[in-house]
Amino acid sequence: MGLTYVWVKIANPAKPSRMARIKMLLDSGTAYSVVPGPVLQRLGIKPRTKHRVVLANGVELERKMSDALVQFRGEEGYSPVIFGEKEDAALPGMVTLASLGLTLDPLRRIVLPMPMILAQQTIKNGR
């Protein structure tokens, strides 16, 4: 199975005109998007928190995180992003895709619209 790359726009939520277009590797195992730290810094996005992350080989690391405005496939939304370091691949995470109303089909390695499911509460007999 081959690798699938996509182009994603990342912007500063406070100044959306500060935007970068980056090539990212689709990976169904990635929860949060990883954006190269220098790109986020250039956009004026500052780290807000630090979190532990686990690599595929089980190694635990600490990475800085913040929020970014993300544009992909005509959709736009806000998402948490990890400040990637030199050895980290740029990855669009599943949290980001979900915030855009998209999902990854891991078998075909394609991005599809995600059904937006809404549950409504039904009140019967006064309950």
Side-chain angles (χ1 to χ4, degrees):
M1 191 170 290
L3 301 176
T4 303
Y5 289 91
V6 294
W7 287 93
V8 179
K9 291 180 182 176
I10 306 293
N12 183 325
K15 297 180 183 177
S17 62
R18 295 182 77 173
M19 180 182 294
R21 186 172 175 258
I22 60 173
K23 187 177 181 180
M24 302 178 95
L25 173 65
L26 278 175
D27 176 4
S28 61
T30 303
Y32 294 103
S33 292
V34 180
V35 178
V39 171
L40 294 172
Q41 291 166 349
R42 192 168 54 248
L43 296 174
I45 298 173
K46 296 180 181 356
R48 290 187 316 105
T49 61
K50 288 183 181 180
H51 288 280
R52 289 186 106 25
V53 297
V54 180
L55 301 179
N57 64 5
V59 172
E60 290 188 28
L61 304 170
E62 189 173 79
R63 292 288 187 264
K64 298 173 188 172
M65 290 184 72
S66 194
D67 295 302
L69 178 61
V70 180
Q71 294 179 358
F72 177 62
R73 300 251 171 114
E75 303 294 338
E76 179 177 277
Y78 299 94
S79 180
V81 293
I82 294 171
F83 279 66
E85 296 187 4
K86 188 175 184 176
E87 63 279 2
D88 298 336
L91 306 165
M94 296 303 106
V95 170
T96 299
L97 291 179
S99 74
L100 300 175
L102 301 170
T103 189
L104 173 64
D105 177 332
L107 298 177
R108 295 186 292 164
R109 302 204 48 81
I110 58 173
V111 177
L112 302 167
M114 181 174 66
M116 296 293 192
I117 299 170
L118 175 67
Q120 292 184 333
Q121 183 175 359
T122 305
I123 299 175
K124 293 182 182 180
N125 300 327
R127 295 186 210 177

